Amino acid sequence: MKRFLRQINVYELIRPIGQLLAFSVGSAAVMSTIVVALALVLDRTAVGAHLMDKLNVTVFTYTLINLPQVVIDGLTIGFVYAAIALGYTMVYGVLQFINFAHSEIFAVGAFIGVEFLIFLQSAGALTGASLFMAYAYLILAIILGMLAAGGLAVAVERIAYRPLRGASRLVPLISAIGVSFLLQDVIRLVEGLTSGQFNRIMPTFGNFDERIIFGKMVLGASKLTLGISIKSIIVIVAAVLMLVGLNYLVNATRVGKAIRAVAQDMSTASLMGIHVNRIISLTFLVGGLLGGAAGVLYALKFTRIDPFIGFFPGLKAFTAAVLGGIGNMTGALLGGIILGMLETFAGSYMGIFTMGAAGSEYKDIFAFSILILVLIFRPQGLMGQNVGQKA
């Protein structure tokens, strides 16, 4: 036991947590400074007069009071994007290939987890379940989602990608897009034949919808409640654990060393006795496991899922991966947090800053504008390394 404990690389366990804190605080500080500065400017314009007439508060006060809640919500959605982006970045780091089917692998994980919980609900197991059992059921749903998504990812690699490994990059990319559409329709077909429903709703159980209240603040004639839901905390904690686990696997284990060797040079890795096909399958398995867990967490956070659920979150997670530097695990995390922050800040303040002319429905403009700008000015992303290099 002592020998086992001595072999644990504590630095690789702590380092990603430090990076998480730094990225979260840094992103929140930068975004907060920008919106507060905008609020100060707009207070002297028609926007300030409009808000004063409507809510009896200045733009600056409104921005400041809402800021803590917006930061919490931004971090939560940012961690969801980061968890999905890890799957993209793992596969790209090893094969230099964008697995667009990862968004549907994420969706399959979500459906498996939600269907399991719906089954428990129909069997009466969720009604009156103790807090311990509620968490046990949720963990079991996440594990099932991970196993299904991981197995599917390995099967997709074996059937649709491995035979094309020697082809030009465009060929497996087209194959990935085809697999993505295929899986969407398979999910829809299976749901149509089994449940007959297009949308599936995450059952309500346990204390996941409860909120931890930090306080109330007066906003004009009303009061704003500041708090965070239990399920948001679960999403953040699970995403942190996934990143720490993945970072440790890649940077501090023999398997991780083999993954990095294959990512750098497949031929040389093969000559050194590494089973390249097995390592690539393992990479897809890890990416699928992460995607499946992210799918169930997404369903827990947003409640409703449908067969196309993977499209937009997957596209935004891909944007996050590109923003941070696709192929770089830390970059995926940074990109996810920045994108989540940006999207939440835009959704929360755009309506006020434009006097209702452009509301939260336009928040996606920022996500995809970032994708375009990064591809133009820094195609290697903010951190620009890959899995093959030890982070």
Side-chain angles (χ1 to χ4, degrees):
M1 185 66 180
K2 286 183 180 178
R3 185 181 175 186
F4 172 74
L5 291 175
R6 277 200 300 270
Q7 289 178 340
I8 294 177
N9 189 335
V10 178
Y11 172 73
E12 290 297 347
L13 288 175
I14 295 174
R15 185 173 59 86
I17 297 176
Q19 290 174 330
L20 275 170
L21 287 173
F23 293 157
S24 301
V25 173
S27 303
V30 171
M31 294 300 300
S32 300
T33 303
I34 292 172
V35 293
V36 168
L38 275 174
L40 284 170
V41 172
L42 292 173
D43 243 342
R44 302 171 185 275
T45 66
V47 176
H50 177 264
L51 191 64
M52 183 61 77
D53 289 340
K54 188 178 176 184
L55 298 176
N56 196 29
V57 293
T58 63
V59 179
F60 177 73
T61 305
Y62 179 91
T63 303
L64 221 53
I65 288 177
N66 280 279
L67 204 52
Q69 190 63 58
V70 173
V71 169
I72 292 171
D73 293 343
L75 281 177
T76 307
I77 189 66
F79 277 103
V80 172
Y81 290 151
I84 306 170
L86 287 173
Y88 280 107
T89 221
M90 273 293 290
V91 171
Y92 186 87
V94 174
L95 292 178
Q96 303 288 298
F97 153 67
I98 300 168
N99 181 19
F100 277 116
H102 185 68
S103 55
E104 275 58 53
I105 290 168
F106 154 86
V108 167
F111 268 93
I112 294 296
V114 170
E115 288 295 348
F116 170 69
L117 292 172
I118 290 174
F119 168 75
L120 290 180
Q121 186 182 42
S122 64
L126 297 185
T127 307
S130 65
L131 204 56
F132 174 79
M133 288 307 299
Y135 278 85
Y137 290 143
L138 179 63
I139 291 171
L140 195 53
I142 292 174
I143 291 172
L144 287 175
M146 291 174 72
L147 292 176
L152 179 62
V154 173
V156 167
E157 187 276 328
R158 182 67 186 87
I159 296 169
Y161 301 153
R162 190 178 298 182
L164 305 174
R165 199 173 293 162
S168 68
R169 289 189 180 186
L170 187 61
V171 177
L173 184 68
I174 293 171
S175 179
I177 294 171
V179 171
S180 174
F181 283 114
L182 172 70
L183 290 177
Q184 276 182 9
D185 284 338
V186 167
I187 296 171
R188 192 169 57 169
L189 177 65
V190 171
E191 283 296 324
L193 292 174
T194 54
S195 68
Q197 295 182 27
F198 186 79
N199 297 314
R200 302 297 277 165
I201 307 297
M202 183 85 167
T204 302
F205 66 105
N207 66 341
F208 307 126
D209 289 319
E210 293 178 9
R211 283 168 61 86
I212 297 174
I213 305 299
F214 301 136
K216 294 185 178 180
M217 304 176 82
V218 177
L219 181 63
S222 61
K223 285 186 177 179
L224 180 72
T225 303
L226 178 63
I228 183 171
S229 63
I230 299 290
K231 58 188 178 185
S232 294
I233 295 174
I234 292 173
V235 168
I236 292 173
V237 171
V240 171
L241 290 176
M242 283 194 285
L243 175 75
V244 172
L246 182 61
N247 178 74
Y248 195 85
L249 173 73
V250 173
N251 289 325
T253 65
R254 289 172 61 87
V255 172
K257 192 178 289 185
I259 291 175
R260 285 185 277 124
V262 171
Q264 286 186 356
D265 191 329
M266 284 189 197
S267 302
T268 307
S270 178
L271 291 173
M272 297 298 288
I274 296 173
H275 197 304
V276 172
N277 284 335
R278 191 176 296 164
I279 292 299
I280 290 175
S281 294
L282 180 67
T283 303
F284 272 84
L285 175 64
V286 172
L289 292 174
L290 295 172
V296 181
L297 293 171
Y298 185 90
L300 176 70
K301 172 68 180 168
F302 296 102
T303 310
R304 186 182 67 83
I305 60 172
D306 61 57
F308 304 115
I309 186 182
F311 184 72
F312 270 109
L315 210 51
K316 289 177 182 176
F318 172 67
T319 304
V322 172
L323 174 63
I326 190 161
N328 184 307
M329 289 181 296
T330 310
L333 174 72
L334 174 63
I337 292 175
I338 291 177
L339 197 65
M341 284 282 187
L342 192 62
E343 184 179 303
T344 309
F345 271 77
S348 301
Y349 292 119
M350 195 188 285
I352 294 297
F353 288 179
T354 61
M355 294 189 292
S360 60
E361 66 272 20
Y362 292 104
K363 62 184 180 184
D364 291 341
I365 289 174
F366 289 88
F368 299 119
S369 297
I370 279 183
L371 178 63
I372 295 168
L373 291 174
V374 169
L375 288 174
I376 292 173
F377 295 106
R378 192 172 168 81
Q380 73 272 33
L382 296 177
M383 304 198 71
Q385 294 176 342
N386 62 47
V387 170
Q389 299 168 320
K390 189 169 182 177

